[in-house]
Amino acid sequence: MVGVEVSKVDSSFQVSAYESSSYTENLIGTLLAIFGNLIVSISLSIQKYSHVTLAGTKDPRAYYRTKTWWLGLVLAVLGEVGIFVSYAFAPLSLIAPLNAVSVIASSILGFIFLREKWKPKEFLRRYILSFIGCALTIAGTYLFVTFGPNSHEKLNAENIVKHVIGWPVLLYLVLEIIAFCLLLYFYKQRNANYLVVVLLLVALLGSVTVITVKAVSGMVILSIQGNVQLSYPIFYVMFVCMVATVVFQATFLSQASHLYDSSLIASLNYILSTTFAIVAGAVFYLEFNHEDVLHICMFLLGCVVCFLGVFMITKNRKKAKAFEPYVTMDMMQGIPTIHDKGRVIQPDYNGSFSYGALVNNDSVTPATLPVAQEQMAVSPSPSSAPYMTSDLKRD
C-alpha cells in the first residue's frame, strides 16, 4: 500500500511538473510570437517611411543607402527570428493565429502616420470599423491564447519521423497534394484566376511551411541546448521543404497582388492560412488530443472572432485611387477636357503619396470644368469674342 501511494504521488508530481513546464514553454513561445509580429510591423512601417521620404524630397539616393531602411531591415530580421524560435516552444495552433498582432500593429501605425487632419466626429465615422475590428481581434486573441492547446512535445528527429510515417499524416498529405494539383490545374490550364483559388494554393503550401518550420525550429533549439539533431537526414528534408514552400508562396502572393486589392488579399490570406495551419497542427502534431470539448470550442470561437476583426480592419482600408486629374488632347466643345483617360500632357503633382499604412490625401477632389464653359456651343460663332490670354491663364 505504501509503495502504491508513493507511486501515485510520484506520478501526480510528474504530471504537475510536466504541465508547469508546458505552461512555461507556451508562455515563452506566445510572447516571442507577439514580440516578433510587433517588430515586423514596426520594421515595415519604417521602411515605408524611408521610401516615402525619398520620393517626397526627390532625394537621388537609392533606398538601400538610407539609415532608416537598414534599421527597418534589421528589425524585420529580428522579428522573423523571434517568430521562428516561438514555434519551438509553443504549439503550432497557438502561434499561427498570432499573426493578427501584426494586423493590429499595422492599423495603429497607419493612424499614427496619417498626415490628414480630421475632426473628431469625421475621424470616428471613417475609422469606426477599424476600431471595432481591433477590439474584436484583441478579444479573439485573448480567447485562443487562453483556451489554446497546452500539450507540447520536444521535437527531436525520432519524434518527427514517427509523426511523418503515421497514417493520419500520410492521409492528410495525400489529400493536400491532390487538392493542390487540382487547384493548380484550374489556375494554370483553365485560367481560373480567382482570388480564392490563388489563396487556397498559398494556404495549402503554408500548412506544409508551418509544419516544417516547427520541426526545423525544434531541432535547432535542441541542438543549441546540447542534444545535436543536425546530423539526422530528416532535418535537411524539412529544411528543403520549408524553403521551397516559402518561395512558391511568395510567387503566388505576388501574382495575386497584381490582380486584386492588397487589403482583400491580407484578410482572406490570413483566414485561410491560419485555418490550414491549425488543421495541420492538429493532424501532424496531435495538438488537440489532450484537450476537452469546452477548450476546443472556446479556442475556435476566439479564432472566428479574430477572423472577423481582421476582416473589418482590412475592409476599412481605402483602395488606392488610380485617378489623377490631368489635361489631355481630347477636345470637347473646343475646350481641353480634364479626366482620367487619354495621353497625359500635364500631370497634376500634389506632393502626396499612398504607400502601405501611409494614406494618401483623399480629401482632394478632381478638378471640374466651369458650368459656363460646358454650356457653350460646339462651333463658336464669328460674333463670339475670342479667348483672351489672361482668361486662359486665370482658368
Side-chain angles (χ1 to χ4, degrees):
M1 293 296 293
V2 176
V4 172
E5 291 178 357
V6 171
S7 62
K8 288 182 178 179
V9 172
D10 291 340
S11 61
S12 63
F13 176 76
Q14 291 175 359
V15 171
S16 61
Y18 173 76
E19 290 178 352
S20 176
S21 175
S22 178
Y23 175 79
T24 303
E25 290 185 350
N26 283 358
L27 181 61
I28 294 173
T30 302
L31 292 177
L32 282 173
I34 293 174
F35 171 78
N37 283 289
L38 183 61
I39 293 299
V40 167
S41 298
I42 295 174
S43 67
L44 292 176
S45 296
I46 290 175
Q47 288 184 326
K48 292 173 186 177
Y49 178 77
S50 174
H51 285 287
V52 172
T53 302
L54 285 177
T57 57
K58 297 183 179 180
D59 195 329
R61 292 182 302 169
Y63 63 90
Y64 52 84
R65 294 184 181 273
T66 59
K67 295 180 180 179
T68 53
W69 187 86
W70 281 104
L71 175 62
L73 180 62
V74 172
L75 290 177
V77 173
L78 181 63
E80 292 295 341
V81 170
I83 297 172
F84 177 79
V85 176
S86 68
Y87 281 97
F89 290 95
L92 174 59
S93 303
L94 188 61
I95 299 300
L98 286 175
N99 289 330
V101 175
S102 63
V103 179
I104 300 174
S106 298
S107 179
I108 295 174
L109 290 172
F111 294 141
I112 294 175
F113 281 105
L114 279 177
R115 294 179 294 177
E116 300 175 1
K117 294 183 180 180
W118 299 85
K119 295 179 181 180
K121 292 183 179 180
E122 191 176 359
F123 186 83
L124 289 174
R125 191 184 307 113
R126 183 176 180 182
Y127 295 103
I128 187 67
L129 285 179
S130 293
F131 294 148
I132 297 175
C134 287
L136 289 175
T137 306
I138 293 172
T141 303
Y142 173 78
L143 284 176
F144 70 69
V145 168
T146 304
F147 296 98
N150 291 319
S151 60
H152 181 65
E153 62 177 341
K154 296 291 184 180
L155 291 178
N156 54 29
E158 296 179 358
N159 291 337
I160 294 173
V161 171
K162 290 179 181 179
H163 285 300
V164 171
I165 63 176
W167 71 265
V169 175
L170 294 177
L171 178 61
Y172 174 76
L173 291 177
V174 169
L175 293 177
E176 190 173 76
I177 291 172
I178 294 174
F180 182 84
C181 292
L182 289 175
L183 289 171
L184 189 63
Y185 170 77
F186 285 107
Y187 177 64
K188 293 293 186 181
Q189 300 298 327
R190 299 294 183 178
N191 294 325
N193 296 326
Y194 302 109
L195 181 60
V196 175
V197 174
V198 180
L199 293 185
L200 277 174
L201 291 170
V202 174
L204 289 172
L205 289 171
S207 64
V208 179
T209 301
V210 292
I211 290 173
T212 54
V213 166
K214 184 172 178 60
V216 172
S217 177
M219 286 189 282
V220 168
I221 296 300
L222 284 179
S223 300
I224 293 175
Q225 293 175 351
N227 187 5
V228 180
Q229 302 290 316
L230 305 184
S231 58
Y232 293 92
I234 190 65
F235 172 80
Y236 299 98
V237 172
M238 289 292 180
F239 183 80
V240 171
C241 292
M242 179 185 70
V243 174
T245 52
V246 167
V247 171
F248 283 109
Q249 279 188 86
T251 302
F252 285 120
L253 284 175
S254 176
Q255 295 174 5
S257 64
H258 287 84
L259 300 173
Y260 299 95
D261 183 63
S262 60
S263 60
L264 184 61
I265 294 174
S267 61
L268 190 57
N269 182 51
Y270 171 76
I271 294 171
L272 293 176
S273 297
T274 303
T275 302
F276 278 89
I278 293 172
V279 173
V283 174
F284 194 92
Y285 295 109
L286 307 176
E287 294 177 344
F288 291 94
N289 279 12
H290 303 287
E291 302 296 326
D292 54 17
V293 177
L294 177 61
H295 279 74
I296 294 176
C297 291
M298 293 302 293
F299 173 81
L300 295 178
L301 176 62
C303 291
V304 172
V305 172
C306 197
F307 292 164
L308 180 60
V310 170
F311 176 77
M312 294 180 69
I313 292 173
T314 55
K315 182 69 175 178
N316 194 51
R317 292 179 181 175
K318 280 190 170 293
K319 297 181 180 180
K321 292 185 178 181
F323 173 83
E324 287 290 346
Y326 52 82
V327 180
T328 66
M329 290 295 294
D330 300 333
M331 300 294 290
M332 179 180 292
Q333 300 178 358
I335 302 171
T337 58
I338 302 178
H339 50 75
D340 60 340
K341 294 181 180 180
R343 294 175 295 174
V344 179
I345 299 276
Q346 184 179 347
D348 181 20
Y349 173 77
N350 56 9
S352 60
F353 301 91
S354 179
Y355 195 98
L358 302 179
V359 180
N360 196 358
N361 187 6
D362 295 327
S363 61
V364 178
T365 57
T368 57
L369 293 175
V371 178
Q373 292 181 354
E374 293 178 356
Q375 295 177 351
M376 292 183 62
V378 177
S379 59
S381 60
S383 60
S384 61
Y387 291 105
M388 301 301 294
T389 306
S390 58
D391 295 334
L392 291 177
K393 290 183 177 179
R394 184 170 59 256
D395 290 337

